[in-house]
Amino acid sequence: MATTDRFEILVYQKRRQILKEQFQDGLILLLGNEESSMNFRDNWYPFRQDSTFLYYTGIDIPDLAVVIDLDEDQEILFGDDVSIDHIIWTGSLPSVADRAERGGIAKSASLKDLSSYLQKARQKNRSIRFLPPYRAEREFKLHQLLNIPLTEIDAYVSQDLINAVIAQRAYKSDEEIKDMEKAVNISNEMHLLAIQSAWPGMKEYDLVGQVRGKAISEGGDIAYPIILTINGQTLHNHYYGNTMKEGDMVLVDAGAETPLHYAGDLTRTFPVSKHFSPLQKDMYNIVLSAYHKAVDALHPGVPFRDIHLLAAEELVSGLKGIGLMKGDAKEAVNAGAHTMFFQCGLGHMIGLDVHDMEDLGEHFVGYSDTIKKSKEFGLKSLRLGKELELSNTLTVEPGIYIIPELIDRWKAEKIHTNFINYEKLDKIRDFGGIRIEDNFLITDEGSRKLGDYLPLKAEEIEDLRD
């Protein structure tokens, strides 16, 4: 776990000050994460601090909580110093008071005092604001601290705190952008390694080990479980047991997380052979054209849902060109016919989380009062729909996915026969999938791709394979 990587103290103090200014009174309770056991109590998964706790404190160790008390005008870090029994296993560690000082927090106290502090506030009918729990351990902790039945915790979650946190974290500062560029550049290296190291006869897991090793070697780790598969039609495929063969394509969706925990999220698709087949190259270029169409449309004030639909129209136009679709592209998208090939969303926000702040509620983070989340197939998977704003950071990731089960179901039910050429589609049912993804910052001029250039054109990918 990171213990020294953080921004300057003033960054965290300013963030907390902005948060406090959104409220008149009461307490704000920010819970850090705890260790999570893998298969017995002392064998833990790698620790990952809660992102909102990190955002406001920069403190990256388990079993801590912060109370921001607006009525008493004080901030307190609650935690326990390690005992000699722990020091034997962990070595000497800074005290909770030291950690509080490094986070610009004036006071510290034992974790055992947190419950009584909160209970006294409740007895005085003071409001205690907290964010929605996303771990069972956190639900139980809130149950213990606040004496709220487990089944009722969601009813006590503070919507105004959710709104206030999103209003800060959605706009990336210069120091955040700098670290995100670092995450993207490490992710670039992971993808270059994958493209240049794959060979026929290799197992997917051999390549996954190298890709993850690159992330770890840069001081961080992966930002999410790596997707590396010859079955790219399965959107989140985490099986790594296939053997890569001539004629296959490999879809790699992998991103690094820096020691500060900012994420990169990139995807490239490449042939196991030295060159794409003619059909693979045609399909790749269709996805690439949709990628460029979407990137060109990134501007402040433009709803990302509209950009998603624009990319979908570009996909349809390309698929018409090779005979897989027919009819008017806009009408096909309005009818949802494009979702035979593009079932997911065009992108999502990114930052301290690879899907930034989605623990606070995707409908709050990615949508607004005027742009609501759809329940339609395809659109319901779009995580970001609202108008883009300056300093937002997001992914753009169009794709084509040929899913045999979907072909069979829609064909049997005669769905969208006026837009889909099922006879030709059935002949390429084992094609697989292609996705291209990069990360962007919204600027006055439109957008800027984060990080250095990673080969994008089919010919550039082939050059790397040679």
Side-chain angles (χ1 to χ4, degrees):
M1 73 185 69
T3 57
T4 59
D5 293 288
R6 68 186 73 207
F7 298 129
E8 296 294 328
I9 289 176
L10 287 175
V11 171
Y12 302 104
Q13 290 176 321
K14 183 177 179 180
R15 287 174 176 176
R16 294 195 299 271
Q17 184 58 39
I18 292 171
L19 181 65
K20 288 189 284 189
E21 289 170 358
Q22 309 309 307
F23 305 100
Q24 298 295 322
D25 52 27
L27 278 68
I28 297 170
L29 172 63
L30 299 176
L31 293 177
N33 278 338
E34 53 284 300
E35 301 282 12
S36 185
S37 298
M38 189 181 299
N39 56 359
F40 65 92
R41 183 171 180 174
D42 290 330
N43 189 29
W44 297 317
Y45 288 104
F47 174 70
R48 175 54 159 86
Q49 184 60 283
D50 175 75
S51 292
T52 298
F53 188 88
L54 270 177
Y55 181 82
Y56 288 108
T57 70
I59 304 174
D60 195 10
I61 65 166
D63 300 317
L64 297 174
V66 164
V67 168
I68 300 174
D69 191 328
L70 283 84
D71 301 311
E72 300 294 334
D73 190 25
Q74 63 181 358
E75 301 171 346
I76 308 172
L77 177 68
F78 289 88
D80 292 323
D81 294 334
V82 293
S83 67
I84 188 63
D85 291 329
H86 286 96
I87 289 173
I88 292 170
W89 296 97
T90 64
S92 182
L93 296 172
S95 67
V96 174
D98 287 339
R99 296 190 187 279
E101 183 179 354
R102 294 181 188 184
I105 299 169
K107 295 185 177 181
S108 62
S110 172
L111 200 56
K112 64 182 175 59
D113 297 328
L114 177 58
S115 181
S116 60
Y117 192 98
L118 296 174
Q119 289 301 329
K120 288 177 182 177
R122 290 197 77 192
Q123 290 168 7
K124 296 178 181 178
N125 293 319
R126 298 172 62 197
S127 61
I128 301 175
R129 299 177 177 87
F130 60 87
L131 297 170
Y134 54 89
R135 289 185 175 184
E137 301 98 314
R138 179 167 291 202
E139 287 185 333
F140 189 70
K141 186 180 291 186
L142 288 167
H143 159 69
Q144 288 183 310
L145 289 172
L146 300 174
N147 197 28
I148 299 173
L150 282 169
T151 56
E152 298 178 17
I153 286 174
D154 287 348
Y156 287 83
V157 168
S158 171
Q159 183 60 57
D160 56 355
L161 181 57
I162 291 173
N163 295 340
V165 171
I166 292 173
Q168 278 188 263
R169 287 184 57 191
Y171 310 99
K172 301 302 184 284
S173 64
D174 290 343
E175 56 262 304
E176 289 181 288
I177 293 165
K178 181 179 179 181
D179 208 65
M180 291 181 70
E181 302 255 25
K182 178 180 179 181
V184 170
N185 284 333
I186 298 170
S187 304
N188 284 346
E189 294 178 23
M190 294 162 64
H191 282 269
L192 287 171
L193 178 63
I195 295 169
Q196 294 176 310
S197 301
W199 46 267
M202 189 181 199
K203 288 288 189 180
E204 293 164 336
Y205 53 68
D206 289 332
L207 202 53
V208 170
Q210 295 183 47
V211 171
R212 181 165 186 180
K214 170 54 70 173
I216 294 172
S217 73
E218 297 292 341
D221 207 331
I222 50 175
Y224 53 93
I226 293 170
I227 298 167
L228 191 155
T229 179
I230 59 173
N231 292 314
Q233 75 279 4
T234 303
L235 299 179
H236 279 183
N237 193 334
H238 296 126
Y239 175 74
Y240 307 131
N242 296 305
T243 301
M244 294 178 276
K245 307 180 299 298
E246 292 275 1
D248 287 338
M249 289 185 299
V250 181
L251 187 154
V252 183
D253 189 334
E257 183 174 273
T258 68
L260 279 171
H261 297 294
Y262 285 86
D265 182 5
L266 310 181
T267 307
R268 290 295 185 269
T269 308
F270 61 88
V272 176
S273 306
K274 290 187 177 182
H275 300 279
F276 290 104
S277 71
L279 177 61
Q280 288 171 348
K281 183 169 284 190
D282 284 344
M283 296 284 252
Y284 187 95
N285 285 331
I286 290 169
V287 175
L288 184 59
S289 181
Y291 165 97
H292 286 304
K293 196 81 170 182
V295 171
D296 289 346
L298 295 174
H299 284 86
V302 178
F304 193 69
R305 182 182 61 188
D306 293 354
I307 300 174
H308 168 87
L309 296 173
L310 187 68
E313 286 181 31
E314 189 69 13
L315 289 173
V316 173
S317 296
L319 291 165
K320 282 176 57 183
I322 60 173
L324 290 173
M325 293 194 74
K326 53 191 175 181
D328 181 78
K330 186 177 287 292
E331 290 178 6
V333 170
N334 287 340
H338 67 287
T339 59
M340 168 58 74
F341 304 91
F342 185 41
Q343 303 84 18
C344 58
L346 181 67
H348 50 80
M349 299 187 80
I350 185 170
L352 270 172
D353 313 299
V354 67
H355 288 177
D356 209 23
M357 300 179 287
E358 286 191 11
D359 61 299
L360 303 181
E362 184 182 296
H363 51 299
F364 301 128
V365 176
Y367 289 85
S368 65
D369 292 337
T370 55
I371 300 179
K372 302 291 186 182
K373 189 172 174 64
S374 174
K375 296 181 180 180
E376 296 178 15
F377 182 65
L379 270 179
K380 69 180 180 182
S381 299
L382 179 61
R383 291 182 163 93
L384 174 60
K386 67 184 181 182
E387 292 180 348
L388 300 175
E389 298 180 79
L390 286 174
S391 300
N392 286 170
T393 47
L394 65 148
T395 68
V396 172
E397 47 182 309
I400 288 176
Y401 311 97
I402 307 299
I403 303 173
E405 296 85 352
L406 186 60
I407 295 171
D408 293 340
R409 178 168 296 190
W410 280 22
K411 183 179 178 182
E413 297 177 13
K414 295 181 170 57
I415 296 174
H416 297 313
T417 54
N418 52 332
F419 295 116
I420 299 171
N421 185 341
Y422 283 102
E423 182 179 355
K424 189 163 186 177
L425 178 58
D426 214 25
K427 294 177 181 178
I428 64 162
R429 59 190 290 115
D430 297 323
F431 176 82
I434 294 172
R435 178 162 67 251
I436 301 169
E437 177 184 18
D438 281 317
N439 308 155
F440 295 88
L441 167 70
I442 301 302
T443 66
D444 287 317
E445 294 76 25
S447 71
R448 177 172 69 80
K449 195 189 89 65
L450 294 174
D452 298 332
Y453 180 75
L454 178 66
L456 194 62
K457 297 177 182 178
E459 294 77 14
E460 295 173 328
I461 300 293
E462 290 174 332
D463 286 344
L464 289 172
R465 293 297 295 144
D466 277 334

